[in-house]
Amino acid sequence: MPDKGAYWFPAKRYGWGWGPPRMWQGWVVMGIFGLLFLGGLATVLPGHGPLAFVGYSLLLCVTLVAVCWLKGEPPRWRWGGD
């Protein structure tokens, strides 16, 4: 298991999931996600319609969660104490 400083995405202090990136690699992932989303907005939505764009967006989100799962702190419910 990597040490705490090596995680790209830290766990949220409250709740389940990850917060903003801690490492530059995480910021690159977020930037690529944003560019792909905007690119899909400009190409998929007008060319194929809203349903195709929703599918494209879901695929991007699932991929982002997978990267967070692999490169972030292990997810669990947190109450702010740790």
Side-chain angles (χ1 to χ4, degrees):
M1 214 174 215
D3 66 0
K4 193 170 183 140
Y7 291 123
W8 294 3
F9 300 93
K12 289 171 40 176
R13 187 175 176 129
Y14 294 96
W16 191 93
W18 303 274
R22 176 184 293 148
M23 308 282 284
W24 67 268
Q25 296 95 331
W27 287 108
V28 169
V29 169
M30 295 301 291
I32 291 170
F33 174 82
L35 288 174
L36 287 173
F37 183 81
L38 291 175
L41 192 62
T43 58
V44 175
L45 186 58
H48 301 285
L51 191 57
F53 180 70
V54 168
Y56 175 77
S57 299
L58 282 173
L59 179 65
L60 283 179
C61 290
V62 166
T63 303
L64 180 62
V65 169
V67 171
C68 289
W69 194 285
L70 292 172
K71 294 300 194 173
E73 285 188 67
R76 65 181 174 87
W77 190 265
R78 299 174 196 274
W79 295 98
D82 50 8

Coordinates of all heavy atoms in Angstrom, one line a residue:
M1 N 0.8 -1.2 0.0 CA 0.0 0.0 0.0 C 0.9 1.2 0.0 O 1.8 1.4 0.8 CB -0.9 0.0 1.3 CG -2.2 0.6 1.0 SD -3.3 0.4 2.4 CE -4.8 0.2 1.5
P2 N 0.6 2.2 -0.9 CA 1.4 3.4 -0.9 C 1.3 4.2 0.4 O 0.3 4.2 1.1 CB 1.0 4.2 -2.1 CG -0.2 3.5 -2.6 CD -0.4 2.2 -1.9
D3 N 2.3 5.0 0.7 CA 2.2 5.9 1.9 C 1.2 7.0 1.6 O 0.8 7.2 0.5 CB 3.5 6.4 2.3 CG 4.1 7.4 1.3 OD1 3.5 7.7 0.3 OD2 5.2 7.9 1.6
K4 N 0.7 7.7 2.7 CA -0.4 8.6 2.6 C 0.0 9.8 1.6 O -0.9 10.3 1.0 CB -0.7 9.2 4.0 CG -1.9 9.9 4.0 CD -2.3 10.2 5.5 CE -3.7 10.9 5.5 NZ -4.5 10.6 6.5
G5 N 1.2 10.2 1.5 CA 1.6 11.2 0.6 C 1.6 10.9 -0.8 O 1.6 11.7 -1.7
A6 N 1.6 9.6 -1.2 CA 1.6 9.2 -2.6 C 0.2 9.1 -3.2 O 0.1 8.8 -4.4 CB 2.3 7.8 -2.7
Y7 N -0.8 9.2 -2.5 CA -2.2 9.2 -3.0 C -2.4 10.4 -3.9 O -2.2 11.5 -3.4 CB -3.2 9.1 -1.9 CG -3.2 7.8 -1.2 CD1 -3.1 7.7 0.2 CD2 -3.4 6.6 -1.9 CE1 -3.1 6.6 0.9 CE2 -3.4 5.4 -1.2 CZ -3.3 5.4 0.2 OH -3.3 4.2 0.9
W8 N -3.0 10.2 -5.1 CA -3.3 11.4 -5.9 C -4.5 12.1 -5.4 O -4.7 13.3 -5.5 CB -3.6 10.9 -7.3 CG -2.4 10.3 -8.1 CD1 -1.1 10.1 -7.6 CD2 -2.4 9.9 -9.4 NE1 -0.3 9.6 -8.5 CE2 -1.1 9.4 -9.7 CE3 -3.3 9.8 -10.4 CZ2 -0.7 8.9 -10.9 CZ3 -3.0 9.3 -11.6 CH2 -1.7 8.8 -11.9
F9 N -5.5 11.3 -4.8 CA -6.8 11.9 -4.4 C -6.9 11.5 -2.9 O -7.1 10.4 -2.6 CB -7.9 11.3 -5.2 CG -7.8 11.6 -6.6 CD1 -7.3 10.7 -7.5 CD2 -8.3 12.8 -7.1 CE1 -7.2 11.0 -8.9 CE2 -8.2 13.1 -8.5 CZ -7.7 12.2 -9.4
P10 N -7.0 12.5 -2.0 CA -7.2 12.2 -0.6 C -8.6 11.9 -0.3 O -9.5 12.3 -1.1 CB -6.7 13.5 0.1 CG -7.0 14.6 -0.9 CD -6.7 13.9 -2.2
A11 N -8.9 11.2 0.7 CA -10.2 10.9 1.1 C -10.9 12.1 1.7 O -10.2 13.0 2.3 CB -10.3 9.8 2.2
K12 N -12.2 12.3 1.5 CA -12.9 13.4 2.1 C -12.9 13.3 3.6 O -12.8 12.2 4.2 CB -14.4 13.4 1.6 CG -14.5 13.8 0.2 CD -15.9 13.6 -0.4 CE -17.0 14.0 0.6 NZ -18.3 13.8 0.0
R13 N -12.9 14.4 4.3 CA -12.9 14.3 5.8 C -14.2 13.8 6.3 O -14.3 13.2 7.3 CB -12.6 15.7 6.3 CG -12.4 15.7 7.8 CD -12.0 17.1 8.3 NE -11.9 17.1 9.7 CZ -10.8 17.5 10.4 NH1 -9.8 17.9 9.8 NH2 -10.9 17.4 11.7
Y14 N -15.3 14.2 5.7 CA -16.7 13.8 6.1 C -17.3 13.1 4.9 O -17.3 13.5 3.8 CB -17.6 15.0 6.4 CG -17.1 15.7 7.7 CD1 -16.3 16.8 7.6 CD2 -17.4 15.3 8.9 CE1 -15.8 17.5 8.7 CE2 -17.0 15.9 10.1 CZ -16.2 17.1 9.9 OH -15.8 17.7 11.1
G15 N -18.0 12.0 5.2 CA -18.7 11.2 4.1 C -17.8 10.2 3.4 O -16.8 9.8 4.0
W16 N -18.2 9.8 2.2 CA -17.5 8.8 1.5 C -17.1 9.4 0.2 O -17.8 10.1 -0.5 CB -18.5 7.6 1.2 CG -17.9 6.4 0.7 CD1 -17.5 5.3 1.4 CD2 -17.6 6.1 -0.7 NE1 -16.9 4.4 0.6 CE2 -17.0 4.8 -0.7 CE3 -17.8 6.7 -1.9 CZ2 -16.6 4.2 -1.9 CZ3 -17.4 6.1 -3.1 CH2 -16.8 4.8 -3.1
G17 N -15.8 9.0 -0.2 CA -15.3 9.5 -1.5 C -14.0 10.2 -1.4 O -13.3 10.1 -0.4
W18 N -13.7 11.0 -2.4 CA -12.4 11.7 -2.5 C -12.6 13.2 -2.6 O -13.6 13.6 -3.2 CB -11.6 11.1 -3.7 CG -11.4 9.7 -3.6 CD1 -10.4 9.0 -3.0 CD2 -12.3 8.6 -4.2 NE1 -10.6 7.7 -3.1 CE2 -11.7 7.4 -3.8 CE3 -13.4 8.7 -4.9 CZ2 -12.3 6.2 -4.2 CZ3 -14.0 7.5 -5.3 CH2 -13.4 6.2 -4.9
G19 N -11.6 13.9 -2.2 CA -11.6 15.3 -2.3 C -10.8 15.8 -3.5 O -10.4 15.0 -4.3
P20 N -10.5 17.1 -3.5 CA -9.6 17.6 -4.7 C -8.3 16.9 -4.7 O -7.8 16.5 -3.6 CB -9.5 19.1 -4.3 CG -10.6 19.4 -3.4 CD -10.9 18.1 -2.6
P21 N -7.6 16.8 -5.8 CA -6.3 16.1 -5.9 C -5.3 16.7 -5.0 O -5.3 17.9 -4.7 CB -6.0 16.3 -7.4 CG -7.2 16.6 -8.1 CD -8.1 17.3 -7.1
R22 N -4.4 15.9 -4.6 CA -3.3 16.3 -3.7 C -2.0 16.4 -4.5 O -1.1 17.2 -4.2 CB -3.1 15.3 -2.6 CG -1.9 15.6 -1.7 CD -1.7 14.5 -0.6 NE -2.8 14.5 0.3 CZ -3.3 13.4 0.9 NH1 -2.8 12.2 0.7 NH2 -4.3 13.5 1.8
M23 N -1.9 15.6 -5.6 CA -0.6 15.5 -6.4 C -0.9 16.0 -7.8 O -2.1 16.1 -8.2 CB -0.2 14.0 -6.5 CG -0.1 13.3 -5.2 SD 1.4 13.6 -4.3 CE 2.6 12.7 -5.2
W24 N 0.2 16.4 -8.5 CA 0.0 17.0 -9.8 C -0.6 16.0 -10.7 O -1.4 16.4 -11.6 CB 1.4 17.5 -10.3 CG 2.4 16.4 -10.6 CD1 3.3 16.0 -9.7 CD2 2.5 15.7 -11.8 NE1 4.1 15.0 -10.4 CE2 3.6 14.8 -11.6 CE3 1.9 15.7 -13.0 CZ2 4.0 14.0 -12.6 CZ3 2.3 14.9 -14.0 CH2 3.4 14.0 -13.8
Q25 N -0.4 14.7 -10.6 CA -1.0 13.7 -11.4 C -2.5 13.7 -11.3 O -3.2 13.5 -12.4 CB -0.5 12.3 -11.1 CG 1.0 12.1 -11.3 CD 1.8 12.3 -10.1 OE1 1.5 13.1 -9.2 NE2 3.0 11.7 -10.0
G26 N -3.0 13.9 -10.2 CA -4.5 14.0 -10.0 C -5.0 15.2 -10.7 O -6.1 15.2 -11.3
W27 N -4.3 16.3 -10.7 CA -4.8 17.5 -11.4 C -4.7 17.3 -12.9 O -5.6 17.8 -13.6 CB -3.9 18.8 -11.0 CG -4.3 19.2 -9.6 CD1 -3.5 19.1 -8.5 CD2 -5.5 19.9 -9.2 NE1 -4.1 19.6 -7.4 CE2 -5.4 20.1 -7.8 CE3 -6.6 20.2 -9.9 CZ2 -6.4 20.7 -7.1 CZ3 -7.6 20.9 -9.1 CH2 -7.5 21.1 -7.8
V28 N -3.8 16.6 -13.4 CA -3.7 16.2 -14.8 C -5.0 15.4 -15.2 O -5.6 15.6 -16.2 CB -2.4 15.5 -15.2 CG1 -2.5 14.9 -16.6 CG2 -1.2 16.5 -15.0
V29 N -5.3 14.4 -14.3 CA -6.5 13.6 -14.6 C -7.7 14.4 -14.6 O -8.6 14.3 -15.5 CB -6.6 12.5 -13.5 CG1 -7.9 11.8 -13.6 CG2 -5.5 11.5 -13.7
M30 N -7.9 15.4 -13.7 CA -9.0 16.2 -13.6 C -9.1 17.1 -14.8 O -10.2 17.4 -15.4 CB -9.0 17.1 -12.3 CG -9.2 16.2 -11.1 SD -10.7 15.3 -11.0 CE -11.9 16.5 -10.9
G31 N -7.9 17.6 -15.3 CA -7.9 18.5 -16.5 C -8.3 17.7 -17.7 O -9.0 18.2 -18.6
I32 N -7.8 16.5 -17.9 CA -8.2 15.6 -19.0 C -9.7 15.3 -19.0 O -10.3 15.4 -20.0 CB -7.3 14.3 -19.0 CG1 -5.9 14.7 -19.4 CG2 -7.9 13.3 -20.0 CD1 -4.9 13.5 -19.2
F33 N -10.2 15.0 -17.8 CA -11.6 14.8 -17.6 C -12.4 16.0 -18.1 O -13.4 15.9 -18.9 CB -12.0 14.5 -16.2 CG -13.4 14.4 -15.9 CD1 -14.1 13.2 -16.2 CD2 -14.2 15.4 -15.4 CE1 -15.5 13.1 -16.0 CE2 -15.5 15.4 -15.1 CZ -16.2 14.2 -15.4
G34 N -12.0 17.2 -17.7 CA -12.7 18.4 -18.1 C -12.6 18.7 -19.6 O -13.6 19.0 -20.2
L35 N -11.5 18.5 -20.1 CA -11.3 18.7 -21.6 C -12.1 17.7 -22.4 O -12.8 18.0 -23.4 CB -9.8 18.6 -22.0 CG -9.0 19.8 -21.5 CD1 -7.5 19.5 -21.9 CD2 -9.4 21.0 -22.2
L36 N -12.1 16.4 -22.0 CA -12.9 15.4 -22.7 C -14.4 15.7 -22.5 O -15.2 15.5 -23.5 CB -12.6 14.0 -22.1 CG -11.3 13.4 -22.5 CD1 -11.0 12.1 -21.8 CD2 -11.2 13.2 -24.0
F37 N -14.9 16.2 -21.4 CA -16.3 16.5 -21.2 C -16.6 17.7 -22.1 O -17.7 17.6 -22.8 CB -16.5 16.9 -19.7 CG -18.0 17.2 -19.4 CD1 -18.9 16.2 -19.2 CD2 -18.4 18.5 -19.4 CE1 -20.2 16.4 -19.0 CE2 -19.8 18.8 -19.2 CZ -20.7 17.8 -19.0
L38 N -15.8 18.7 -22.1 CA -16.1 19.9 -23.0 C -16.1 19.5 -24.4 O -16.9 20.0 -25.3 CB -15.2 21.0 -22.7 CG -15.4 21.7 -21.3 CD1 -14.3 22.8 -21.1 CD2 -16.8 22.3 -21.2
G39 N -15.1 18.6 -24.8 CA -15.0 18.2 -26.2 C -16.2 17.4 -26.6 O -16.7 17.5 -27.7
G40 N -16.7 16.6 -25.7 CA -18.0 15.8 -25.9 C -19.2 16.7 -26.0 O -20.1 16.5 -26.9
L41 N -19.2 17.8 -25.2 CA -20.2 18.8 -25.3 C -20.3 19.4 -26.7 O -21.3 19.7 -27.2 CB -20.0 19.8 -24.2 CG -21.2 20.7 -23.9 CD1 -22.4 20.0 -23.4 CD2 -20.7 21.7 -22.8
A42 N -19.1 19.7 -27.2 CA -19.0 20.3 -28.5 C -19.2 19.4 -29.7 O -19.6 19.8 -30.8 CB -17.6 21.0 -28.7
T43 N -18.9 18.1 -29.5 CA -19.0 17.2 -30.7 C -20.1 16.1 -30.6 O -20.8 15.9 -31.5 CB -17.6 16.5 -30.9 OG1 -17.3 15.7 -29.7 CG2 -16.5 17.4 -31.2
V44 N -20.2 15.5 -29.4 CA -21.2 14.4 -29.3 C -22.6 14.9 -29.2 O -23.5 14.4 -29.9 CB -20.8 13.5 -28.0 CG1 -21.9 12.5 -27.8 CG2 -19.5 12.9 -28.2
L45 N -22.8 16.0 -28.4 CA -24.1 16.5 -28.2 C -24.8 17.0 -29.5 O -25.9 16.5 -29.9 CB -24.1 17.6 -27.2 CG -25.5 18.1 -26.8 CD1 -26.4 17.0 -26.2 CD2 -25.3 19.2 -25.7
P46 N -24.1 17.8 -30.3 CA -24.8 18.3 -31.6 C -24.8 17.2 -32.6 O -25.7 17.2 -33.4 CB -23.9 19.5 -32.0 CG -22.8 19.6 -31.2 CD -22.9 18.6 -30.0
G47 N -23.8 16.3 -32.6 CA -23.7 15.3 -33.7 C -24.6 14.1 -33.5 O -25.1 13.5 -34.4
H48 N -24.8 13.7 -32.2 CA -25.5 12.4 -31.9 C -26.7 12.6 -31.0 O -27.4 11.6 -30.7 CB -24.6 11.4 -31.4 CG -23.4 11.1 -32.3 ND1 -23.6 10.3 -33.4 CD2 -22.1 11.5 -32.3 CE1 -22.4 10.2 -34.0 NE2 -21.5 11.0 -33.4
G49 N -26.9 13.7 -30.4 CA -28.1 14.0 -29.6 C -27.8 13.8 -28.1 O -26.7 13.4 -27.7
P50 N -28.8 14.2 -27.3 CA -28.6 14.2 -25.8 C -28.4 12.8 -25.2 O -27.6 12.7 -24.2 CB -29.9 14.8 -25.3 CG -30.8 14.8 -26.4 CD -30.1 14.7 -27.7
L51 N -29.0 11.8 -25.7 CA -28.9 10.4 -25.1 C -27.4 9.9 -25.3 O -26.9 9.3 -24.4 CB -29.9 9.5 -25.7 CG -30.0 8.1 -25.1 CD1 -30.4 8.3 -23.6 CD2 -31.1 7.3 -25.8
A52 N -26.9 10.2 -26.4 CA -25.5 9.8 -26.7 C -24.5 10.5 -25.7 O -23.6 10.0 -25.2 CB -25.1 10.0 -28.1
F53 N -24.8 11.8 -25.5 CA -24.0 12.6 -24.6 C -24.1 12.1 -23.2 O -23.1 12.1 -22.5 CB -24.4 14.1 -24.7 CG -23.5 15.0 -23.8 CD1 -22.2 15.2 -24.1 CD2 -24.1 15.5 -22.7 CE1 -21.4 16.0 -23.3 CE2 -23.3 16.3 -21.9 CZ -22.0 16.5 -22.2
V54 N -25.3 11.7 -22.8 CA -25.4 11.2 -21.4 C -24.6 9.9 -21.3 O -23.9 9.7 -20.3 CB -26.9 10.9 -21.1 CG1 -27.1 10.1 -19.8 CG2 -27.7 12.2 -21.0
G55 N -24.7 9.0 -22.3 CA -23.8 7.8 -22.2 C -22.4 8.1 -22.2 O -21.6 7.5 -21.5
Y56 N -21.9 9.1 -23.0 CA -20.5 9.5 -23.1 C -20.1 10.1 -21.7 O -19.0 9.7 -21.2 CB -20.4 10.6 -24.2 CG -19.0 11.2 -24.2 CD1 -17.9 10.6 -24.8 CD2 -18.8 12.5 -23.7 CE1 -16.7 11.1 -24.9 CE2 -17.6 13.1 -23.8 CZ -16.5 12.4 -24.4 OH -15.3 13.0 -24.5
S57 N -21.0 10.9 -21.1 CA -20.7 11.5 -19.8 C -20.6 10.4 -18.7 O -19.7 10.5 -17.8 CB -21.7 12.5 -19.4 OG -21.8 13.6 -20.4
L58 N -21.5 9.4 -18.7 CA -21.4 8.3 -17.8 C -20.1 7.6 -17.9 O -19.5 7.2 -16.9 CB -22.6 7.4 -18.0 CG -23.9 7.9 -17.4 CD1 -25.1 7.0 -17.8 CD2 -23.8 8.0 -15.8
L59 N -19.7 7.3 -19.1 CA -18.4 6.6 -19.4 C -17.3 7.4 -18.8 O -16.4 6.8 -18.1 CB -18.2 6.3 -20.9 CG -17.0 5.6 -21.2 CD1 -16.9 4.2 -20.7 CD2 -16.8 5.6 -22.7
L60 N -17.3 8.7 -19.0 CA -16.2 9.5 -18.4 C -16.2 9.5 -16.9 O -15.2 9.4 -16.3 CB -16.4 11.0 -18.9 CG -15.9 11.3 -20.3 CD1 -16.2 12.8 -20.6 CD2 -14.5 11.0 -20.5
C61 N -17.4 9.6 -16.3 CA -17.5 9.6 -14.8 C -17.1 8.2 -14.3 O -16.4 8.2 -13.2 CB -18.9 9.9 -14.4 SG -19.4 11.6 -14.7
V62 N -17.5 7.1 -14.9 CA -17.1 5.8 -14.4 C -15.5 5.7 -14.5 O -14.9 5.2 -13.6 CB -17.8 4.7 -15.2 CG1 -17.2 3.4 -15.0 CG2 -19.3 4.7 -14.8
T63 N -14.9 6.2 -15.5 CA -13.5 6.1 -15.7 C -12.8 7.0 -14.6 O -11.8 6.6 -14.0 CB -13.1 6.6 -17.1 OG1 -13.8 5.8 -18.1 CG2 -11.6 6.5 -17.3
L64 N -13.4 8.2 -14.3 CA -12.8 9.0 -13.3 C -12.9 8.3 -11.9 O -11.9 8.4 -11.2 CB -13.5 10.4 -13.3 CG -13.0 11.4 -12.2 CD1 -11.5 11.7 -12.4 CD2 -13.9 12.6 -12.2
V65 N -14.0 7.7 -11.6 CA -14.1 7.0 -10.3 C -13.1 5.9 -10.3 O -12.5 5.6 -9.2 CB -15.6 6.5 -10.1 CG1 -15.7 5.6 -8.9 CG2 -16.5 7.7 -9.9
A66 N -12.9 5.2 -11.4 CA -12.0 4.1 -11.4 C -10.6 4.6 -11.1 O -9.8 3.9 -10.3 CB -12.0 3.3 -12.7
V67 N -10.2 5.7 -11.7 CA -8.9 6.3 -11.4 C -8.7 6.7 -10.0 O -7.7 6.4 -9.3 CB -8.6 7.4 -12.4 CG1 -7.3 8.2 -12.0 CG2 -8.4 7.0 -13.8
C68 N -9.8 7.3 -9.4 CA -9.8 7.7 -8.0 C -9.7 6.5 -7.1 O -9.0 6.5 -6.1 CB -11.0 8.5 -7.7 SG -11.1 10.1 -8.4
W69 N -10.4 5.4 -7.5 CA -10.3 4.2 -6.7 C -8.9 3.6 -6.7 O -8.4 3.1 -5.6 CB -11.3 3.2 -7.2 CG -11.6 2.0 -6.3 CD1 -10.8 1.0 -6.0 CD2 -12.8 1.9 -5.5 NE1 -11.4 0.2 -5.1 CE2 -12.6 0.7 -4.8 CE3 -13.9 2.6 -5.4 CZ2 -13.6 0.2 -4.0 CZ3 -14.9 2.1 -4.5 CH2 -14.7 0.9 -3.8
L70 N -8.3 3.6 -7.8 CA -6.9 3.0 -7.9 C -5.8 3.9 -7.3 O -4.9 3.4 -6.8 CB -6.6 2.7 -9.4 CG -7.4 1.6 -10.1 CD1 -7.2 1.6 -11.6 CD2 -7.2 0.3 -9.4
K71 N -6.0 5.2 -7.5 CA -4.9 6.1 -7.1 C -5.2 7.0 -5.9 O -4.4 7.8 -5.5 CB -4.5 7.0 -8.3 CG -3.9 6.3 -9.4 CD -2.7 5.6 -9.0 CE -1.8 5.1 -10.2 NZ -0.5 4.6 -9.7
G72 N -6.4 6.8 -5.3 CA -6.7 7.6 -4.1 C -6.7 6.8 -2.8 O -6.4 5.6 -2.9
E73 N -6.9 7.5 -1.7 CA -7.0 6.8 -0.4 C -8.1 5.8 -0.5 O -9.1 6.0 -1.1 CB -7.2 7.8 0.7 CG -5.9 8.5 1.0 CD -6.2 9.4 2.3 OE1 -6.3 8.8 3.4 OE2 -6.2 10.6 2.1
P74 N -8.0 4.7 0.2 CA -9.1 3.7 0.3 C -10.4 4.4 0.7 O -10.4 5.0 1.8 CB -8.6 2.6 1.2 CG -7.2 2.7 1.2 CD -6.9 4.2 1.0
P75 N -11.5 4.2 0.0 CA -12.8 4.8 0.4 C -13.4 4.1 1.6 O -13.4 2.9 1.7 CB -13.6 4.7 -0.8 CG -13.1 3.5 -1.6 CD -11.6 3.5 -1.3
R76 N -14.0 4.9 2.5 CA -14.8 4.4 3.6 C -15.5 5.6 4.2 O -15.1 6.7 3.9 CB -14.0 3.7 4.7 CG -13.0 4.6 5.4 CD -12.2 3.8 6.4 NE -11.2 4.6 7.0 CZ -11.3 5.4 8.1 NH1 -12.5 5.5 8.7 NH2 -10.3 6.1 8.6
W77 N -16.5 5.4 4.9 CA -17.3 6.5 5.5 C -16.5 7.1 6.6 O -15.9 6.4 7.4 CB -18.6 6.0 6.1 CG -19.5 7.1 6.5 CD1 -19.6 7.7 7.7 CD2 -20.3 7.8 5.6 NE1 -20.5 8.7 7.7 CE2 -20.9 8.8 6.4 CE3 -20.7 7.8 4.3 CZ2 -21.8 9.8 5.9 CZ3 -21.6 8.7 3.8 CH2 -22.1 9.7 4.6
R78 N -16.4 8.4 6.6 CA -15.6 9.2 7.6 C -16.5 10.2 8.3 O -17.3 10.8 7.7 CB -14.4 9.9 6.9 CG -13.5 8.9 6.2 CD -12.4 9.6 5.4 NE -11.7 8.7 4.5 CZ -10.7 8.0 4.8 NH1 -10.2 8.0 6.0 NH2 -10.1 7.2 3.9
W79 N -16.2 10.4 9.6 CA -17.0 11.3 10.4 C -16.2 12.5 10.7 O -16.6 13.3 11.6 CB -17.5 10.6 11.6 CG -18.4 9.5 11.3 CD1 -18.1 8.2 11.2 CD2 -19.8 9.6 11.0 NE1 -19.3 7.5 10.8 CE2 -20.3 8.3 10.7 CE3 -20.7 10.7 10.9 CZ2 -21.6 8.1 10.4 CZ3 -22.0 10.4 10.6 CH2 -22.5 9.2 10.3
G80 N -15.0 12.7 10.2 CA -14.2 13.9 10.4 C -13.2 13.8 11.5 O -12.4 14.7 11.7
G81 N -13.1 12.6 12.2 CA -12.2 12.5 13.2 C -10.8 12.1 12.8 O -9.8 12.2 13.5
D82 N -10.6 11.6 11.6 CA -9.3 11.1 11.1 C -8.8 11.7 9.9 O -9.5 12.3 9.1 CB -9.2 9.6 11.0 CG -10.4 9.0 10.1 OD1 -11.2 9.8 9.6 OD2 -10.5 7.8 10.1

